[in-house]
Amino acid sequence: MECKRKQHQLATRPVIEHQPRYPELIGNGQRRQARRPFRAQRFSSSPYGPGLSIAVHLAVVTRVTQAHKTFEVEEHSNSPAKKFSSHGISRQHNKGTSSDTAMRKQLEQVDVLQNMGISRHFDGEIKRILDMTYSCWLQGDEDIILDAGTCAMAFRILRMNGYDVSADELHHVAEALGFHPSLEGYLNDTRSLLELHKASKVSISEDESILDFIGSWSGCLLKEQLRSGGLQGTPLFREVEHALEFPFYTTLDRLDHRWNIENFNITGEKMLKTSSMLCSTNDDILALGIRDFSASQVTYQEELRHLKSWVKESRLDQLPFARQKLEYFYLSAAGTIFTPELSDARILWAKNGVLTTIVDDFFDVGGSKEELENLVTLAEMWDEHHKIEFYSEHVEIVFSAIYILVTRLGEKASLLQDRDVTKHLVEIWLDLLKSMMTEVEWRINKYIPTTEEYITNAALTFALGPIVLPALYFVGPKIPESAVKDLEYNELFRLMSTCGRLLNDVQTYEREYREGKVNSVSLLIHQSGGSLSIAEARREIQKPIDTCRRDLLGLVLRKEGVVPRPCKELFWKMCKVCYFFYSRGDAFSSPDEKAREVDAVVNLPLLLKGSSNVSLPILWEGSNQHA
């Protein structure tokens, strides 16, 4: 009863508080501080253009919260699984409509705002909603427990926002499935099936077999609904199709935001129907999403122009052996580190990505042994590199680009961190070059490493270090030297790099075999004495890939630790980038396969699938000034 009373108080609050950019999540039982009314004011630096005040954005949530109604009082059951089963997968079977509790409404609002990439404008209100939801979750409130869709949504959103929720709390859902093992009874409850499927994807341990079971079961039923044509022509069709095709860890945030904005008439429909909101309010939310995405494209276009100029100024386009992957690396940066104020992090991410690809090509095909040894020696000498000569012009171009970039980044990062971090940035590059030299020596000597030797070295040669690790210094928090040396920091890097390397190995086995390079697939086949086929070896490697991904997400979401949450999230973002390029083939090596996605994030105006008050297509009025 206490949980419902607090939820009603939260739901009817009309005042929205502007929150700091990186609020720390608080757990259950911590008293909320008194709130001060937000005073409307204009910000000349707003990414939405002059004259649009933050108060207008916050008013959207104000109207949302005013619409909420109190919960109905329900008694707790002594047997959650049996009571849950008696309702079916959700109350929809008894009432003919989806569950309409205030908590469900609020969670759906949070979900829509996050999926459109505009939740940061409502951090304070979202945090209060999630704190209250977490309190109810811990109390076993029936408005969560007895509705599968609400339970699954609460679990997914709370977990992904850093709240400590156990998958064991979904045991009653899995147990109830034993009462309804067939498709019958679920065809009319697609929304709950979809929420269960999404929840199953946020696993943080291979021990969470409950999530695996729920994911397999819900996935099968959703696919059956698509095959049977039961969803054809319904608003849910595209949403189900999208969720099945693109699990959240295989796509980039900004691509997801674009999809949800363009399909707002589908994804926003649940927000409209369950919140008793006016159409104009939904259009306000859509307008904010459009402005946010379109304004960011102006920034992205300017940054990409700067990066193209840098490539030419650094003479990197004069290296005949090098793959030119600037746009792919910028896509990976803008697609994940998307907020306007993180421009420095995006640019260094893309620049270092370009350089790591060129260095990788230099070690693989472009450089002689003498050139490679010369490059490593130059990096070891660093500020004293002028004491020796460049072996070739190619070595000069590659080293000079690395040296100038690292020096400039070191100066800027040291100012932000209030300590000298240039030495660390140099060490990151030196570790990469030495590990690549090790692979060259293996190849020359025809040495076959052990699995442990290969994985230890390959985690470095996958070359994510120079991309991700320097970016940690540019996302806000101070990172003490002790954190850089901490086990948590190293484990985040190991899990991210190992996951990426194995994903790459599975998709590039044939090419690397032809080039005489060691690969985890070829190693597994070799160790089996040839008893494993290529397909079997690839399937076998999928297991450690899944384990690394789950463990990494668990470490990122864990509140404890010395690495700040915004920094930990960069490791997870790069893991998603690896899935994005390698989950269905070697898209990174193709010059065209992800070109459409580059345009979708950077260049193309939004194309809405339908809206009452918005024209098609949508091009932010300010964008023409910067084209």
Side-chain angles (χ1 to χ4, degrees):
M1 186 65 188
E2 180 66 19
C3 181
K4 300 178 186 299
R5 186 181 301 115
K6 291 180 179 179
Q7 184 71 19
H8 173 56
Q9 293 170 354
L10 171 64
T12 55
R13 281 184 171 180
V15 182
I16 306 301
E17 176 184 305
H18 187 58
Q19 295 293 310
R21 187 163 300 281
Y22 299 114
E24 293 296 322
L25 297 175
I26 61 173
N28 181 39
Q30 186 166 342
R31 185 184 301 273
R32 291 195 299 271
Q33 296 180 351
R35 306 164 65 199
R36 293 175 295 177
F38 183 88
R39 295 182 179 180
Q41 53 183 310
R42 298 183 186 274
F43 295 86
S44 60
S45 59
S46 170
Y48 311 104
L52 184 64
S53 78
I54 299 296
V56 172
H57 308 158
L58 298 177
V60 174
V61 171
T62 302
R63 294 173 65 181
V64 170
T65 55
Q66 287 174 332
H68 294 162
K69 298 179 180 179
T70 187
F71 288 152
E72 295 178 359
V73 178
E74 299 177 1
E75 295 182 357
H76 286 272
S77 168
N78 293 326
S79 178
K82 289 184 178 179
K83 187 169 184 179
F84 176 87
S85 174
S86 70
H87 285 282
I89 193 169
S90 80
R91 293 174 179 151
Q92 180 172 346
H93 295 301
N94 291 337
K95 300 169 75 171
T97 59
S98 60
S99 178
D100 59 353
T101 64
M103 185 178 300
R104 175 69 173 254
K105 299 171 190 176
Q106 291 175 332
L107 288 173
E108 287 177 336
Q109 292 156 18
V110 171
D111 205 29
V112 168
L113 294 172
Q114 291 183 338
N115 288 340
M116 293 176 70
I118 56 177
S119 59
R120 66 188 185 280
H121 303 299
F122 309 101
D123 281 342
E125 192 66 25
I126 288 174
K127 184 177 182 300
R128 282 186 286 273
I129 289 173
L130 296 186
D131 282 346
M132 192 65 253
T133 302
Y134 186 54
S135 176
C136 294
W137 175 278
L138 293 177
Q139 295 178 41
D141 188 272
E142 289 190 359
D143 283 310
I144 295 178
I145 299 301
L146 294 186
D147 182 82
T150 303
C151 189
M153 182 184 292
F155 170 78
R156 171 176 58 85
I157 294 176
L158 287 173
R159 170 168 283 189
M160 290 305 296
N161 282 275
Y163 293 79
D164 184 15
V165 289
S166 171
D168 291 340
E169 299 301 324
L170 295 175
H171 179 75
H172 66 283
V173 178
E175 183 180 343
L177 302 181
F179 294 92
H180 301 280
S182 68
L183 182 61
E184 185 178 359
Y186 300 104
L187 286 174
N188 295 322
D189 201 11
T190 305
R191 174 63 63 187
S192 291
L193 283 175
L194 183 57
E195 289 302 332
L196 286 166
H197 188 70
K198 289 180 179 179
S200 73
K201 299 302 179 184
V202 299
S203 172
I204 59 174
S205 170
E206 59 184 358
D207 296 329
E208 292 185 322
S209 56
I210 290 175
L211 295 182
D212 293 336
F213 172 72
I214 290 175
S216 175
W217 173 83
S218 59
C220 286
L221 292 186
L222 289 170
K223 290 174 183 176
E224 178 60 30
Q225 289 192 13
L226 291 179
R227 283 194 297 266
S228 67
L231 294 178
Q232 195 71 39
T234 67
L236 267 176
F237 179 82
R238 282 204 301 270
E239 192 173 356
V240 170
E241 194 176 46
H242 183 75
L244 291 175
E245 187 175 1
F246 301 106
F248 84 102
Y249 53 81
T250 67
T251 187
L252 307 183
D253 295 342
R254 221 48 179 155
L255 290 172
D256 248 358
H257 298 162
R258 182 182 183 109
W259 189 91
N260 279 281
I261 293 170
E262 291 185 331
N263 291 275
F264 186 75
N265 62 315
I266 301 171
T267 59
E269 181 185 21
K270 59 183 179 182
M271 193 169 183
L272 173 64
K273 287 189 175 181
T274 62
S275 344
S276 302
M277 292 165 57
L278 300 175
C279 291
S280 59
T281 303
N282 258 25
D283 284 347
D284 288 342
I285 294 172
L286 178 58
L288 176 56
I290 291 169
R291 280 184 173 271
D292 183 275
F293 193 92
S294 301
S296 70
Q297 285 187 312
V298 176
T299 301
Y300 300 160
Q301 290 161 15
E302 292 175 347
E303 291 173 355
L304 190 53
R305 281 195 293 270
H306 162 74
L307 289 166
K308 289 178 179 179
S309 297
W310 168 78
V311 168
K312 292 184 179 297
E313 292 168 1
S314 304
R315 298 190 293 161
L316 299 176
D317 58 336
Q318 298 178 20
L319 299 172
F321 58 83
R323 292 170 292 171
Q324 299 299 322
K325 295 295 179 181
L326 170 60
E327 291 192 341
Y328 278 10
F329 273 109
Y330 186 71
L331 168 64
S332 72
T336 55
I337 315 170
F338 57 87
T339 54
E341 73 278 4
L342 297 180
S343 178
D344 285 343
R346 283 192 296 275
I347 289 174
L348 78 85
W349 179 293
K351 286 183 176 179
N352 277 320
V354 168
L355 288 177
T356 57
T357 302
I358 289 173
V359 168
D360 185 50
D361 292 341
F362 196 39
F363 274 82
D364 279 352
V365 296
S368 65
K369 189 171 185 291
E370 292 76 16
E371 286 177 310
L372 302 180
E373 289 173 340
N374 181 227
L375 180 60
V376 174
T377 302
L378 288 164
E380 289 174 330
M381 299 183 69
W382 199 249
D383 283 333
E384 298 184 349
H385 69 272
H386 58 276
K387 293 182 179 180
I388 63 172
E389 294 183 356
F390 295 112
Y391 189 87
S392 67
E393 185 181 14
H394 287 171
V395 174
E396 180 182 4
I397 292 173
V398 172
F399 178 76
S400 297
I402 296 172
Y403 180 82
I404 293 171
L405 177 61
V406 170
T407 301
R408 290 175 178 173
L409 289 179
E411 292 172 353
K412 185 174 289 189
S414 297
L415 288 174
L416 293 172
Q417 295 293 319
D418 293 328
R419 66 183 182 88
D420 187 6
V421 301
T422 303
K423 182 181 177 182
H424 180 226
L425 302 185
V426 175
E427 289 173 350
I428 292 169
W429 268 103
L430 194 53
D431 287 343
L432 172 61
L433 296 175
K434 287 181 175 180
S435 65
M436 286 184 167
M437 198 68 216
T438 297
E439 282 195 350
V440 170
E441 291 168 353
W442 287 349
R443 189 165 66 246
I444 292 174
N445 298 324
K446 297 185 173 11
Y447 174 71
I448 300 178
T450 64
T451 300
E452 184 177 356
E453 287 176 325
Y454 171 77
I455 290 297
T456 300
N457 196 66
L460 292 172
T461 60
F462 195 54
L464 300 184
I467 304 171
V468 176
L469 301 182
L472 303 182
Y473 292 125
F474 289 85
V475 293
K478 296 287 194 296
I479 308 174
E481 188 174 359
S482 58
V484 175
K485 297 178 179 179
D486 193 84
L487 178 63
E488 180 190 34
Y489 180 96
N490 292 320
E491 185 67 359
L492 286 163
F493 177 75
R494 184 191 71 81
L495 290 170
M496 170 194 70
S497 297
T498 302
C499 186
R501 167 53 73 187
L502 294 179
L503 280 165
N504 173 273
D505 281 359
V506 167
Q507 302 298 347
T508 62
Y509 163 75
E510 285 88 353
R511 173 170 56 82
E512 293 187 338
Y513 180 79
R514 291 193 302 269
E515 295 173 356
K517 295 181 65 176
V518 177
N519 179 295
S520 59
V521 176
S522 59
L523 270 180
L524 197 57
I525 294 173
H526 174 76
Q527 292 171 354
S528 72
S531 62
L532 278 180
S533 66
I534 296 175
E536 290 170 334
R538 282 173 164 156
R539 284 195 296 272
E540 193 66 27
I541 291 172
Q542 190 60 48
K543 298 174 185 176
I545 290 174
D546 292 342
T547 298
C548 284
R549 184 197 74 239
R550 291 173 173 179
D551 290 349
L552 176 61
L553 182 58
L555 196 54
V556 169
L557 297 178
R558 192 179 66 177
K559 286 187 180 181
E560 300 80 10
V562 299
V563 181
R565 173 69 183 268
C567 298
K568 290 198 291 186
E569 287 178 350
L570 289 189
F571 293 96
W572 177 247
K573 291 177 187 297
M574 179 54 86
C575 182
K576 293 180 67 173
V577 169
C578 294
Y579 269 95
F580 175 72
F581 281 110
Y582 295 113
S583 62
R584 300 186 180 188
D586 182 12
F588 184 77
S589 295
S590 168
D592 305 317
E593 189 161 339
K594 296 298 183 181
R596 183 175 61 179
E597 283 77 4
V598 174
D599 279 338
V601 170
V602 178
N603 297 313
L604 295 178
L606 292 163
L607 293 170
L608 301 190
K609 300 298 187 287
S611 175
S612 58
N613 295 324
V614 185
S615 302
L616 310 176
I618 299 299
L619 180 64
W620 182 50
E621 57 269 23
S623 63
N624 290 331
Q625 302 171 12
H626 304 274

